[in-house]
Amino acid sequence: MRTIIKNASELVTCKGGVKYGKAMSDVGIIKDGALVIEDDKIIAVGTTEEILAKYDNGDDMVINAAGKTVMPGFVDSHTHFIFGGYRADEFSWRLKGDSYMSIMERGGGIASTMKATRAASFDELYSEGEKRLNRMLSYGVTTVEGKSGYGLDKDTELRMLRVMKKLNENHAVDIVPTFLGPHATPPEYKGRDMDFLKFNLEEVMPEVKAENLAEFADIFTEKGVFSIEDSTYYLEEAKKLGFKLKVHADEMYDLGGALMATRVGCTSADHLLMASDESIEALSKSKTMATLLPATAFSLGAEYARGRKMIDMGAAVAIASDYNPGSCHTCSIPLIIAISCIYMHLTIEEAITALTINGAAACGRDSLVGSLEAGKKADILILEKPSINFLPYCTAMNIVESVIKDGTLVKG
Ligand code: NIG
Ligand code: FE
């Protein structure tokens, strides 16, 4: 079965692979663009004239995208979308002046979600996860990274990952799973961080590998959570077990987490609100993706990461939602585009690159998704407006009209 999408006012290809620095502003727009889908893949991209001359045989299904923008599906490369319970009460305390870290120190925060997640059944986690994926899909997310990290024990960590595996099989959105056992030290291991890391490395992660439940290993490197020394040990050992690496780095304090990420060869260093000039320079000379999570800074009322500087220095930047029950309970792509452009001073083109091909690279999917090119998966959005300029202009409003996933219309 072949489908032709034609007459797109702007067809945004994002072609050419992962992009660093200045190159992020090249999103490869074709005016009056068209593309051809065969089964679940894109087989050709060009102007409407070129595509119709070569491929139109009268039998194809044709979608007329006149007055609309066609672009790759968004890749949300950092989320914690599987969890039990909510923390709306903590949000209200923060509005009154409490801080994220002081709530965590009092036994709330991640520990509170840990209790609710341990108590949740597979089916409960699955059905909540499914609803959250539906919402993400409505925003145009076609690939999402999802982390464990609210079990902090073997059974619950494995349950979270098995839920993601089943959702990946059944739901249109593709899921890239990450093991985040060291998200916090659970009460059973209080004061024994290294023992907890060894427990993860020796007792949990071999099983995660054996069942092929996660591609990445992640850790929350933060003052009062895991130190640079312990995180380095964990990441080096996780690499030996065959995991690709990510790190929550320099979110509340500048511990040098981003610098560590470049040294141990992380695929991405995420958050980076407090990253130092030295860290930004190291990132810009490395292949490690700087993954920025502006809705988290927004929700916490914190300073934004220095995205403009990172790109100017030559780093590859991705943006993602960080959707989770605590620091950032939103998966709104329109909101994070608006914040990225207005407050982190990314151009619209850079924000698109950060949410498509660079997001795909941040979760190891850049050879499959993140751009509209022959050979890539047909994960395609049609926006209701004629130009990418409408993405931040329609501030925090969803303008995704149709979503095509693996060649099939799943929204619109
Ligand atoms: O990325 N910073 C650590 N982890 C999450 C928040 C987790 C939570 O508060 O439940 C984050 O912001
Ligand atoms: Fe996170």
Side-chain angles (χ1 to χ4, degrees):
M1 226 302 259
R2 251 169 41 172
T3 303
I4 296 180
I5 303 179
K6 66 173 188 180
N7 295 134
S9 179
E10 289 184 358
L11 187 142
V12 187
T13 64
C14 297
K15 68 176 197 267
V18 54
K19 293 186 177 61
Y20 294 82
K22 274 192 181 49
M24 284 183 65
S25 49
D26 181 9
V27 291
I29 291 178
I30 302 173
K31 298 273 186 196
D32 194 11
L35 59 77
V36 187
I37 302 167
E38 196 165 79
D39 303 321
D40 59 345
K41 296 263 176 350
I42 296 165
I43 60 162
V45 181
T47 61
T48 298
E49 200 181 348
E50 285 162 0
I51 292 293
L52 293 184
K54 204 159 163 204
Y55 290 93
D56 188 19
N57 60 14
D59 294 339
D60 305 310
M61 183 171 132
V62 176
I63 298 175
N64 188 347
K68 295 173 184 176
T69 303
V70 172
M71 65 173 293
F74 292 122
V75 180
D76 189 347
S77 62
H78 180 138
T79 83
H80 309 247
F81 79 98
I82 299 294
F83 55 84
Y86 286 96
R87 289 170 20 217
D89 47 354
E90 291 183 8
F91 192 92
S92 76
W93 302 338
R94 289 207 306 271
L95 295 177
K96 292 186 189 127
D98 229 333
S99 78
Y100 179 85
M101 288 312 274
S102 73
I103 293 169
M104 187 168 177
E105 279 151 22
R106 299 203 302 269
I110 293 169
S112 146
T113 300
M114 176 201 78
K115 285 191 203 118
T117 308
R118 284 182 181 179
S121 68
F122 182 98
D123 290 346
E124 285 162 348
L125 293 175
Y126 184 95
S127 91
E128 287 302 304
E130 187 178 35
K131 287 182 215 153
R132 293 170 194 151
L133 286 176
N134 290 341
R135 192 188 297 270
M136 292 177 194
L137 185 67
S138 75
Y139 289 129
V141 171
T142 46
T143 300
V144 64
E145 184 259 14
K147 301 175 197 292
S148 72
Y150 288 124
L152 313 180
D153 63 12
K154 186 170 174 179
D155 282 358
T156 319
E157 288 295 308
L158 291 174
R159 186 156 75 251
M160 290 181 75
L161 292 169
R162 288 180 186 135
V163 165
M164 282 193 263
K165 187 172 186 172
K166 190 163 171 204
L167 282 167
N168 189 39
E169 286 159 10
N170 295 344
H171 199 282
V173 175
D174 286 330
I175 301 169
V176 181
T178 293
F179 177 76
L180 175 58
H183 197 184
T185 299
E188 308 85 279
Y189 281 90
K190 196 169 174 5
R192 296 188 295 131
D193 289 359
M194 195 37 100
D195 288 345
F196 180 57
L197 292 181
K198 287 194 170 141
F199 159 73
N200 279 293
L201 288 161
E202 288 163 19
E203 291 181 41
V204 190
M205 293 165 84
E207 195 144 330
V208 170
K209 261 283 145 202
E211 269 187 63
N212 200 16
L213 290 173
E215 290 176 37
F216 287 89
D218 195 347
I219 184 165
F220 188 12
T221 302
E222 185 59 60
K223 188 171 163 199
V225 192
F226 293 102
S227 68
I228 290 285
E229 293 69 30
D230 290 0
S231 302
T232 306
Y233 168 78
Y234 165 78
L235 291 167
E236 294 285 11
E237 293 300 312
K239 196 188 328 184
K240 288 183 202 153
L241 290 173
F243 291 89
K244 292 181 277 182
L245 307 176
K246 290 180 168 289
V247 60
H248 281 66
D250 306 329
E251 181 181 358
M252 316 281 172
Y253 294 92
D254 173 28
L255 280 195
L259 214 51
M260 170 192 70
T262 62
R263 291 193 179 129
V264 300
C266 287
T267 303
S268 71
D270 301 34
H271 280 295
L272 308 175
L273 273 58
M274 308 304 287
S276 65
D277 289 349
E278 190 191 3
S279 291
I280 294 178
E281 190 168 348
L283 280 168
S284 66
K285 291 189 176 131
S286 77
K287 290 221 169 335
T288 300
M289 184 69 64
T291 298
L292 310 182
L293 311 167
T296 308
F298 177 76
S299 301
L300 294 176
E303 292 275 318
Y304 294 102
R306 292 186 287 165
R308 180 72 266 139
K309 183 173 172 100
M310 291 175 195
I311 295 174
D312 289 343
M313 300 267 302
V317 167
I319 52 180
S321 72
D322 194 26
Y323 176 58
N324 74 70
S327 62
C328 182
H329 190 251
T330 179
C331 59
S332 170
I333 298 293
L335 175 66
I336 71 172
I337 290 175
I339 306 173
S340 298
C341 295
I342 301 167
Y343 292 109
M344 293 202 307
H345 309 294
L346 269 60
T347 64
I348 299 166
E349 289 82 357
E350 288 165 345
I352 289 173
T353 299
L355 264 169
T356 55
I357 190 65
N358 280 12
C363 52
R365 290 290 190 277
D366 46 318
S367 63
L368 295 173
V369 299
S371 63
L372 302 183
E373 292 176 89
K376 288 257 175 132
K377 272 184 182 241
D379 291 359
I380 301 165
L381 310 182
I382 304 178
L383 309 183
E384 63 185 59
K385 297 287 190 283
S387 137
I388 60 168
N389 291 346
F390 283 83
L391 278 169
Y393 168 66
C394 295
T395 309
M397 296 196 289
N398 190 14
I399 58 168
V400 174
E401 187 172 86
S402 306
V403 181
I404 294 166
K405 179 74 189 78
D406 293 309
T408 300
L409 189 66
V410 289
K411 168 183 171 168

